[in-house]
Amino acid sequence: MVLDHEEDIEVVGEAGTGVEAIEAARAHWPDVILMDIRMPEMDGLEATRRILTEADRPVRVIILTTFDPDEYVYEALRAGASAFVLKDIPRAELVSAVRTVADGGALLSPSITRRLIGRFTRQLATDTTASARLELLTDREREVLTAIGRGANNAEISEQLFIGTATVKSHINSLFTKLGLRDRAQAVVFAYESGLVEPGEQDIGY
């Protein structure tokens, strides 16, 4: 109902289970999917993974979660989800989130992201394959990726590294291409899994 009231948003389908979500995605291949983590038959994590694996066009997934992020959200980000929002998000912010993700952005609440990633990466060993891929980056690109992993936005990266925002965007696009990352959400996960950023390190700008 909230989204249907927006002139620039069309709701093309609804689903009550993970299996139905996959079927609806196949039928419509929408620009954005709002995916609940906990659903009957198949959880949102597996549904997200299957949808993004099968999609033959760009499909963005926003994960809906409770106030206390659970471990499935981290796995959903690893599977390629572009954002996660709380279930009690205000209506205007939900609409904004859909538009942001539809435009290719990744919506990550910095405070929730740091709590989430920090909590669950403590349980993981550094991925040596991911660590080796860091060698593909220039020193500056590594600095930019580190800042992204710590929750900094483009303006904060620009201020910290004393470079223009256009240059920041250029570095981000380059490191995304080199590492095969879809968006900022995957960059945050990669920064932790590769060991470039470790839980508990000083956050930037917050």
Side-chain angles (χ1 to χ4, degrees):
M1 290 173 59
V2 173
L3 298 176
D4 259 341
H5 279 92
E6 302 300 318
E7 293 183 358
D8 60 332
I9 297 176
E10 178 186 3
V11 178
V12 297
E14 297 181 48
T17 71
V19 173
E20 290 178 2
I22 293 175
E23 293 173 349
R26 288 170 176 165
H28 302 287
W29 289 126
D31 298 307
V32 177
I33 296 173
L34 286 174
M35 181 74 75
D36 195 347
I37 287 275
R38 302 184 183 280
M39 291 187 294
E41 296 185 34
M42 179 187 297
D43 64 34
L45 169 62
E46 181 61 22
T48 294
R49 183 181 294 113
R50 293 194 186 186
I51 288 170
L52 294 180
T53 298
E54 294 181 14
D56 59 1
R57 50 159 294 176
V59 176
R60 305 276 179 169
V61 175
I62 299 176
I63 296 295
L64 292 169
T65 185
T66 57
F67 179 75
D68 183 20
D70 60 45
E71 59 188 299
Y72 296 117
V73 179
Y74 175 72
E75 293 300 327
L77 290 175
R78 293 187 69 196
S82 296
F84 62 90
V85 297
L86 301 179
K87 289 185 177 180
D88 60 356
I89 186 174
R91 292 186 175 190
E93 292 185 21
L94 177 61
V95 173
S96 177
V98 170
R99 289 183 177 131
T100 296
V101 172
D103 287 338
L107 186 72
L108 298 174
S109 169
S111 60
I112 296 177
T113 300
R114 289 194 294 269
R115 277 167 38 210
L116 174 73
I117 300 295
R119 176 180 174 185
F120 294 106
T121 50
R122 287 188 179 94
Q123 303 172 13
L124 302 172
T126 297
D127 185 330
T128 55
T129 301
S131 181
R133 288 165 63 195
L134 289 173
E135 298 300 322
L136 298 171
L137 305 181
T138 65
D139 290 342
R140 181 63 87 189
E141 288 167 350
R142 288 167 66 106
E143 291 175 336
V144 171
L145 180 58
T146 298
I148 292 174
R150 292 175 179 170
N153 59 34
N154 287 8
E156 291 162 341
I157 296 173
S158 173
E159 182 178 353
Q160 182 205 14
L161 300 181
F162 304 103
I163 56 179
T165 54
T167 303
V168 172
K169 292 179 182 178
S170 176
H171 286 310
I172 290 175
N173 289 335
S174 177
L175 71 89
F176 279 7
T177 299
K178 290 180 179 180
L179 298 177
L181 303 176
R182 177 182 296 143
D183 53 33
R184 216 176 188 92
Q186 291 191 329
V188 171
V189 173
F190 182 88
Y192 278 89
E193 290 188 331
S194 66
L196 185 64
V197 176
E198 297 181 0
E201 288 190 4
Q202 181 64 42
D203 297 325
I204 297 174
Y206 296 92

